[in-house]
Amino acid sequence: MLVLGTRKSGDWRHILACLLALVALVSIEPVVTATSAFAQSGPIREIRVVGNRRVEPETVRTYLRFGVGDAYDASRVDASIKSLFATGLFSDVQIDRDGPVVVITVAENPVINQVAFEGNREVDKATLENEVQLKPRAVFTRAKVQADVQRVLDVYRRQGRFAATVSPKLIELDSNRVNVVFEIDEGGATKVKAINFIGNKAFSDSQLRDIITTSQSGLFDFLKSTNVYDPDRLALDRELLRQYYLKNGYADVRVVSANAELDRDGSGFFITFVVDEGEIYKFGSVEIESLLAQVDGNSLRGEMLTVAGTLYNQASMDKTVEKLTLLVSEQGYPFARVRPKASRDAAARAINVTYTIDEGPRVYIERININGNTRTRDYVIRREFRLAEGDAFNPLMVDKAKQRLQNLGFFKGVEIKRRPGSAPDRVTLDVEVLEQSTGELSFGAGYSTAEGVIGDISISERNLMGRGQYLQLKLSGSLTRLNAQLSFTEPRFLDRNLSAGFDLFTRTTFVSSYQQFASSSTGGSVRLGIPLAEGLWLTNSYTLTYNTLTDVQSTASAAIKEAQGDYVTSAYGLALAYDKRNHPKNPTSGYYLMTSAEMAGLGGDVNYFRYTAEGRYYYPIADRVTFVGRAIGGYIEGWGGKDVRLLDLFYRGGETIRGFARAGLGPRDITTGDALGGNTYWSTTAEIRFPIPYVSEEVGMGLAAFVDAGSVFGAGAGAKKLDNKYGTCGTASPTDVCLADSSATRVTAGISLLWNSPLGPLRLDIGKALVKESFDKEQLIQFGASTKF
């Protein structure tokens, strides 16, 4: 019994010990778990940054959305990761927690050592460097590389290279540096294959193509860049079309769209302009209403350029508003504004205009900033503003400055943005321009029945050295002549609305079937143009010329032999021109007037007065049918006891009155057949131009029926002195002239074939002389071509 009891007593103690050990084990685990949970959920005691090389730890901590002492929050951690990535400093970010310590592990983006371009032949390196954002010593990011790839592609697309591709390459260097190389495959230039217009009735496709800056590709694409598709240029063309219609009476015109579609093989674009012309209007009543007590509106009526009953012209309205604004400002109202109010009379097809003069808000121009002009000088842009820094701000004047800048032809795009200045009554103007090429190489070729093969080539620059000046070198010639001329023009002489320039020239003619002598004129001239009114210009000029008449053939007229030699001409001239045509190249309505006078004798060897005049009139009879009338004439006479030289007389033929040969009209030595020139000439033309039936307008062909009339008469004194009046022409001695001279009117009639060919305008004239003199020389068919590419 004792033994069992003892065993029982021992078992109890053993069981108790086991129970106590089990309790101890169970109680220890909750203590450890509770301690760990407290460490993970408690406040952050430290933020440790690892992996950084250039960026300071404190810089990293500034982008975190939590700090020491904050509770660890998963949403804040996620926001912090996004914030660090947004800096562009890191390629990888990881945030972990180690007890009360938060560990920020970063991988820094490399630093750019160099940015290079390979394969760029059409675009220079400097242009590309200005476009991309990646620069040496900047931080590299993949997002910036992709953005720069697109920027480089945009540069090539602006030059019409839509097939260009760009591949960025990364060259890793030591110290976490890289070189970035853009490998460029430029591809070929994507040309404009065709330009079409939809909805145009008043003007033909060819007329509208002359208005826009984009041109179709042709045989001489290498000589021009405007036949390359450019979205910026297309936007400018839309505005040019709209302005052209607004100038010609179409007040409701809309250029609905300008679409460029790439053909299937990607070799060219087809551009289509959709135009809604609307109705044509004239000006109805034109009034001035002044809300300023001290400004009399009636006194300003004479300054208006819009006249009741004339064709509606938005440009004339804008210029009237600008002119009135300046006049009222000069009267002491710098904040005055002129607002045109137009009301349509649909029944009468008239637009009544009232110019209201009131006072605008008192805001001053604090600063005018010019941006984007890498070549054009600042002052060339600023002089197109009729406002200066410190002047009263006038939105209308700013809009007019923008239009003048666009009309210069130096820029593909012009934007003027307004932003607040340093005070509530101050405003800053930011002028953003996008420059375009202003140099041009033009090439001409053709054939003339008078001269055979003819041609010309010219190099011109419209924005010389960024100064807004014009320079042109032109060479032209044929088998019978050779001409060269260098011209320079400063369009804003002395910063005024004056045009000044000079010309240097040499003109040489050779012995041919039309003349039995050679001649040359070499010299120069200076000129000054003054605008008197809208479309009205007065030009002053002085010309000094050295003339020679040489290589006279033995069979030439005695009058020509007598005139052989050289002489100097010193002459001053005046010319007045007034242009109201609706199109500069292919007008269908309007008129052009010009008159000039020249006096020689300011030194030199010759004294004469020369007068010329010309008038042209265009009237649309029907759709694509235009009446053209022309009258031209000239007169020259000597003074101070000096006769007019043979080379200074007028020589006219088929270029003036069709149906006659070159120099086929006027005084002539019947014995030798030589033209001797006249001191008077006149010519009139009546022509109707119309399309060829059943021939599409796209072909560019048309017909014309014409009647010409005119005369050349009044032989020079030298020919008259040698005239063998008392003998017969058959027995005249070699020192005599058998002069034939008549002021009788010559009349011709005929038809013409006109073709705007891919090589340029061609013309075939078939003219028959209905009334002529026996000594005139006829030519039934005349063909000529002269083109600009």
Side-chain angles (χ1 to χ4, degrees):
M1 291 290 298
L2 180 61
V3 173
L4 287 174
T6 306
R7 192 187 330 179
K8 289 180 180 178
S9 174
D11 289 340
W12 175 83
R13 287 192 297 269
H14 178 73
I15 294 171
L16 181 60
C18 290
L19 290 173
L20 291 173
L22 180 61
V23 171
L25 289 173
V26 173
S27 63
I28 289 173
E29 182 62 26
V31 172
V32 174
T33 303
T35 303
S36 176
F38 176 78
Q40 294 296 328
S41 61
I44 299 171
R45 299 187 182 279
E46 181 185 354
I47 298 176
R48 187 180 305 155
V49 180
V50 297
N52 58 310
R53 295 183 179 183
R54 301 184 315 274
V55 183
E56 294 294 331
E58 192 57 38
T59 301
V60 175
R61 295 187 185 101
T62 58
Y63 291 100
L64 300 178
R65 297 294 185 262
F66 57 85
V68 174
D70 293 340
Y72 187 87
D73 186 289
S75 61
R76 291 189 177 186
V77 170
D78 184 60
S80 299
I81 292 174
K82 293 179 180 178
S83 177
L84 288 170
F85 270 119
T87 64
L89 298 173
F90 311 105
S91 60
D92 191 22
V93 177
Q94 184 176 345
I95 299 180
D96 299 303
R97 184 165 189 182
D98 184 10
V101 179
V102 175
V103 180
I104 315 294
T105 305
V106 296
E108 294 180 346
N109 276 321
V111 173
I112 298 173
N113 178 65
Q114 183 183 4
V115 178
F117 303 90
E118 294 181 357
N120 57 308
R121 293 179 299 276
E122 296 297 327
V123 181
D124 59 77
K125 178 183 176 182
T127 300
L128 296 176
E129 286 178 338
N130 289 333
E131 286 291 330
V132 299
Q133 287 188 342
L134 292 177
K135 308 290 182 184
R137 295 185 297 276
V139 176
F140 170 86
T141 68
R142 295 187 181 277
K144 288 182 179 180
V145 170
Q146 294 304 319
D148 281 346
V149 166
Q150 188 58 47
R151 289 187 178 90
V152 174
L153 288 174
D154 288 343
V155 172
Y156 279 95
R157 286 174 179 174
R158 288 198 294 269
Q159 297 203 6
R161 295 183 176 272
F162 283 77
T165 59
V166 179
S167 301
K169 302 296 183 182
L170 206 63
I171 301 175
E172 296 184 359
L173 306 174
D174 57 1
S175 302
N176 200 27
R177 295 177 303 129
V178 293
N179 287 343
V180 180
V181 180
F182 292 95
E183 295 181 352
I184 302 171
D185 180 3
E186 295 182 324
T190 312
K191 302 298 181 69
V192 175
K193 286 190 172 182
I195 301 175
N196 302 309
F197 298 87
I198 297 176
N200 55 311
K201 298 178 181 178
F203 304 102
S204 66
D205 284 12
S206 61
Q207 286 179 303
L208 296 182
R209 288 190 193 105
D210 287 335
I211 297 301
I212 62 178
T213 57
T214 303
S215 60
Q216 297 180 147
S217 59
L219 297 178
F220 297 89
D221 287 350
F222 63 93
L223 295 176
K224 58 184 179 180
S225 60
T226 55
N227 59 357
V228 176
Y229 172 65
D230 186 336
D232 295 326
R233 187 183 292 119
L234 195 64
L236 173 61
D237 289 340
R238 288 188 65 168
E239 181 60 21
L240 291 176
L241 284 174
R242 192 183 73 88
Q243 291 181 13
Y244 179 66
Y245 271 97
L246 289 174
K247 286 175 59 178
N248 288 282
Y250 293 89
D252 298 326
V253 66
R254 292 188 308 121
V255 181
V256 180
S257 64
N259 298 321
E261 295 184 3
L262 193 62
D263 60 3
R264 292 182 179 179
D265 60 3
S267 62
F269 278 94
F270 291 86
I271 295 178
T272 303
F273 293 93
V274 179
V275 181
D276 180 7
E277 293 180 334
E279 301 293 340
I280 192 168
Y281 287 84
K282 292 185 176 182
F283 283 115
S285 62
V286 181
E287 305 292 339
I288 294 182
E289 178 187 12
S290 175
L291 302 181
L292 301 177
Q294 302 300 320
V295 177
D296 182 12
N298 291 327
S299 65
L300 300 173
R301 286 185 174 275
E303 306 296 334
M304 293 190 300
L305 303 177
T306 50
V307 180
T310 60
L311 199 63
Y312 174 80
N313 187 331
Q314 181 66 50
S316 296
M317 283 183 59
D318 294 340
K319 291 179 180 179
T320 298
V321 170
E322 183 180 13
K323 189 174 184 180
L324 293 177
T325 301
L326 290 174
L327 289 172
V328 175
S329 177
E330 291 171 356
Q331 294 181 17
Y333 293 89
F335 297 100
R337 60 184 179 185
V338 179
R339 294 180 294 172
K341 297 179 181 178
S343 61
R344 285 171 173 76
D345 185 344
R349 297 279 177 81
I351 295 182
N352 304 316
V353 181
T354 300
Y355 298 98
T356 302
I357 304 174
D358 61 6
E359 189 168 8
R362 293 179 173 269
V363 178
Y364 297 89
I365 298 175
E366 182 175 22
R367 192 168 60 255
I368 300 177
N369 300 321
I370 311 294
N371 301 308
N373 55 321
T374 57
R375 184 164 176 265
T376 307
R377 308 291 180 93
D378 269 20
Y379 71 84
V380 174
I381 298 174
R382 291 181 183 275
R383 70 189 182 189
E384 298 303 323
F385 285 80
R386 302 297 183 261
L387 298 168
E389 292 165 342
D391 287 351
F393 172 72
N394 190 306
L396 171 69
M397 305 289 281
V398 174
D399 290 341
K400 288 300 297 177
K402 176 181 177 180
Q403 185 174 339
R404 279 191 293 269
L405 288 172
Q406 290 174 331
N407 293 340
L408 288 176
F410 302 164
F411 312 108
K412 286 191 291 186
V414 178
E415 291 293 334
I416 302 179
K417 300 177 181 179
R418 179 179 122 183
R419 57 186 174 89
S422 59
D425 62 344
R426 297 289 187 270
V427 66
T428 297
L429 300 180
D430 293 321
V431 183
E432 304 283 347
V433 297
L434 179 60
E435 293 183 315
Q436 66 179 354
S437 174
T438 53
E440 180 180 359
L441 173 63
S442 60
F443 185 88
Y447 179 81
S448 167
T449 50
E451 300 181 70
V453 177
I454 60 176
D456 66 75
I457 184 171
S458 70
I459 302 173
S460 61
E461 172 56 61
R462 292 180 284 112
N463 188 14
L464 183 64
M465 299 176 66
R467 301 176 184 271
Q469 299 162 336
Y470 178 81
L471 182 68
Q472 182 188 53
L473 175 63
K474 182 176 182 180
L475 304 174
S476 62
S478 67
L479 298 177
T480 63
R481 63 177 173 86
L482 180 63
N483 300 333
Q485 179 169 308
L486 176 68
S487 300
F488 172 82
T489 301
E490 168 56 72
R492 295 294 297 275
F493 184 58
L494 299 177
D495 279 336
R496 297 176 179 271
N497 195 20
L498 303 173
S499 173
F502 66 83
D503 304 287
L504 302 175
F505 58 84
T506 178
R507 308 183 186 104
T508 304
T509 63
F510 309 111
V511 175
S512 67
S513 59
Y514 293 96
Q515 64 178 41
Q516 298 193 68
F517 62 89
S519 67
S520 68
S521 299
T522 303
S525 64
V526 292
R527 46 190 160 73
L528 177 67
I530 305 171
L532 302 179
E534 178 69 16
L536 181 64
W537 275 82
L538 175 67
T539 303
N540 300 263
S541 64
Y542 170 77
T543 305
L544 184 65
T545 311
Y546 174 68
N547 308 279
T548 62
L549 193 155
T550 59
D551 199 14
V552 178
Q553 304 297 292
S554 59
T555 56
S557 170
I560 297 176
K561 296 176 181 178
E562 181 74 16
Q564 188 171 208
D566 57 5
Y567 61 96
V568 175
T569 303
S570 176
Y572 170 75
L574 280 174
L576 187 66
Y578 187 49
D579 193 349
K580 295 294 287 183
R581 294 173 296 177
N582 69 338
H583 193 280
K585 295 182 180 179
N586 298 311
T588 55
S589 66
Y591 56 90
Y592 171 83
L593 303 173
M594 188 280 296
T595 181
S596 68
E598 184 180 48
M599 182 187 75
L602 306 176
D605 303 318
V606 296
N607 296 349
Y608 64 73
F609 290 104
R610 189 201 321 257
Y611 310 94
T612 59
E614 180 180 8
R616 304 177 207 163
Y617 177 71
Y618 305 86
Y619 182 78
I621 299 175
D623 184 29
R624 299 177 61 195
V625 179
T626 304
F627 169 79
V628 181
R630 182 191 184 201
I632 186 172
Y635 175 73
I636 186 171
E637 65 174 349
W639 65 276
K642 293 186 178 181
D643 298 326
V644 178
R645 302 289 183 113
L646 189 74
L647 292 179
D648 296 325
L649 294 169
F650 296 112
Y651 295 83
R652 293 293 182 269
E655 79 286 348
T656 305
I657 303 178
R658 288 159 287 190
F660 290 97
R662 180 181 177 186
L665 293 173
R668 188 177 305 279
D669 187 336
I670 297 178
T671 304
T672 64
D674 291 315
L676 302 180
N679 63 10
T680 305
Y681 86 96
W682 64 272
S683 171
T684 59
T685 293
E687 181 175 284
I688 296 179
R689 300 174 183 173
F690 53 92
I692 303 177
Y694 308 111
V695 175
S696 172
E697 183 184 354
E698 296 299 319
V699 178
M701 282 189 171
L703 293 174
F706 65 84
V707 175
D708 294 340
S711 182
V712 181
F713 57 91
K720 290 179 179 178
K721 291 176 183 178
L722 298 175
D723 184 17
N724 184 17
K725 297 178 181 179
Y726 305 106
T728 62
C729 290
T731 60
S733 68
T735 58
D736 292 336
V737 173
C738 188
L739 180 64
D741 186 5
S742 172
S743 62
T745 299
R746 282 77 156 178
V747 180
T748 66
I751 60 173
S752 300
L753 174 65
L754 314 174
W755 182 28
N756 286 322
S757 73
L759 293 177
L762 304 177
R763 182 173 188 129
L764 175 68
D765 295 317
I766 302 176
K768 176 64 178 176
L770 304 179
V771 179
K772 67 182 184 65
E773 294 298 306
S774 60
F775 53 86
D776 292 334
K777 292 188 176 183
E778 298 180 72
Q779 185 169 317
L780 179 65
I781 299 176
Q782 292 175 323
F783 174 78
S786 178
T787 181
K788 292 287 185 182
F789 302 107

